[in-house]
Amino acid sequence: MADHPKLMVLFEKLRGMSFELVEAQYTVGRKDSMDICIKDASLSGHHCDLIRLEDGNYMIRDNDSTNGTRVNNVITKEAKLKSSDILQLGGVEVLYDFGNTADTPTAVTRTINLDDLDSNLSTVRELNNYSPFAKQERQKNKRNTLMLYGIIAILALALLAMVGLVAAAVLNI
């Protein structure tokens, strides 16, 4: 077990990243200026803070992040962490591990081979705001759809005009 609490990233693309927690407070987010920087679009620039408590454990505090913070799949603004808690920062899952298990109930551990799982499997149910560019994409798609309808209308009018010209020419003969 660890002497200090540790965060271990479980998310497939970033699996293996690990952060030993020794400071009194950490900022967590996507920005390079964060104490713990996790480069994933589902995290806000300053997603949350980790604050050490008197017993050596940490508390997590969401910083009004776009995609939210969950502890063991429960949305939270603030929560005291226990060893083996699964944190979900946006779409990134992180394991909180602390060797101080005096206040942590023992549990049966089951090993899961992640290679056998569907790579698209996630415990995060829905991220409505996953992309910071989602609004721009929706506006772009709407604009493209309107342009397509406009082109179809122009082509329909041109076809009607051509049919009218052919009918006029046939009637004059």
Side-chain angles (χ1 to χ4, degrees):
M1 290 287 175
D3 295 328
H4 297 284
K6 188 187 288 188
L7 293 179
M8 291 178 283
V9 178
L10 303 175
F11 184 62
E12 182 177 0
K13 295 177 187 174
L14 304 169
R15 190 175 299 138
M17 288 178 72
S18 180
F19 305 94
E20 189 169 12
L21 305 177
V22 295
E23 301 296 328
Q25 185 167 343
Y26 289 91
T27 56
V28 181
R30 188 179 67 234
K31 288 184 185 175
D32 289 328
S33 60
M34 296 294 105
D35 298 321
I36 297 176
C37 177
I38 300 175
K39 292 286 190 181
D40 185 77
S42 68
L43 268 77
S44 295
H46 180 182
H47 196 92
C48 64
D49 295 305
L50 293 169
I51 302 155
R52 186 172 54 215
L53 303 172
E54 288 184 18
D55 66 358
N57 270 307
Y58 279 78
M59 173 180 84
I60 190 166
R61 180 180 298 142
D62 185 73
N63 193 37
D64 294 324
S65 60
T66 304
N67 290 315
T69 299
R70 298 169 191 252
V71 176
N72 298 322
N73 214 20
V74 176
I75 295 174
T76 186
K77 289 289 182 189
E78 187 173 290
K80 180 181 177 183
L81 300 176
K82 298 181 296 296
S83 189
S84 301
D85 278 347
I86 301 292
L87 313 178
Q88 293 163 303
L89 312 175
V92 177
E93 290 187 334
V94 179
L95 172 68
Y96 176 77
D97 180 36
F98 188 23
N100 179 9
T101 57
D103 64 343
T104 304
T106 57
V108 176
T109 303
R110 187 178 82 179
T111 303
I112 299 172
N113 184 354
L114 295 176
D115 294 330
D116 294 341
L117 296 176
D118 178 9
S119 63
N120 294 325
L121 189 65
S122 174
T123 58
V124 178
R125 290 186 180 96
E126 185 176 336
L127 294 176
N128 293 330
N129 300 315
Y130 180 75
S131 171
F133 308 107
K135 185 176 180 182
Q136 292 172 351
E137 287 294 320
R138 285 191 302 272
Q139 289 173 342
K140 183 179 173 183
N141 289 342
K142 185 176 181 181
R143 185 178 59 237
N144 289 345
T145 302
L146 289 173
M147 286 176 45
L148 179 62
Y149 287 148
I151 291 170
I152 291 171
I154 290 170
L155 289 174
L157 288 173
L159 182 63
L160 285 173
M162 289 177 63
V163 168
L165 288 174
V166 169
V170 169
L171 292 175
N172 286 338
I173 295 183

